Amino acid sequence: LQIFLGPLDLAGGHAALVNRPSVQLPAMDLVEPGSPTTSWLLHKLDATQGTFAGQCAGDGCGSTMPLGQPMLAPAERDGLRAWVTNGALNDCP
C-alpha cells in the first residue's frame, strides 16, 4: 500500500505512524494496528477529528487530510482502513 499524504509517505514511514502517538491527540496513536476506530490517521482522513475537539492539544484537532486537497475517495480510505484492521503490517516493497 503506497499513498502520499503531504509529508507522510506511508510506504517509507511505517515506523513513524504505527504505535506512535498523535501530536494533536496524544492519547490516540496515529495508527493502532487492528483498530481503525482508534487510529488518528483515519479520523483525519474521514474528517471526523472534530468529534474529539475537547480532547485535542494546542491549536485543536487540525484539518482534514490530505491538507489542501480533496478527501481521498471512499475506496482509498477503505483500503487504508483494511490495512489497519489487518494489523498495519510493514509489507510495502
Side-chain angles (χ1 to χ4, degrees), residues 32-92:
E32 180 66 37
S35 184
T37 60
T38 60
S39 293
W40 188 243
L41 176 63
L42 291 173
H43 285 288
K44 297 285 282 187
L45 292 171
D46 290 336
T48 58
Q49 75 274 12
T51 61
F52 299 94
Q55 303 168 49
C56 290
D59 293 331
C61 297
S63 301
T64 300
M65 291 179 64
L67 185 62
Q69 301 293 318
M71 285 181 72
L72 296 179
E76 292 174 303
R77 289 183 280 136
D78 287 345
L80 285 166
R81 196 174 333 282
W83 173 72
V84 171
T85 299
N86 292 322
L89 302 176
N90 188 7
D91 57 359
C92 292

Side-chain angles (χ1 to χ4, degrees), residues 8-48:
L8 296 178
D9 177 354
L10 297 185
H14 185 271
L17 292 172
V18 177
N19 294 317
R20 302 296 288 216
S22 148
V23 171
Q24 293 167 328
L25 185 59
M28 189 177 292
D29 285 344
L30 291 168
V31 173
E32 180 66 37
S35 184
T37 60
T38 60
S39 293
W40 188 243
L41 176 63
L42 291 173
H43 285 288
K44 297 285 282 187
L45 292 171
D46 290 336
T48 58

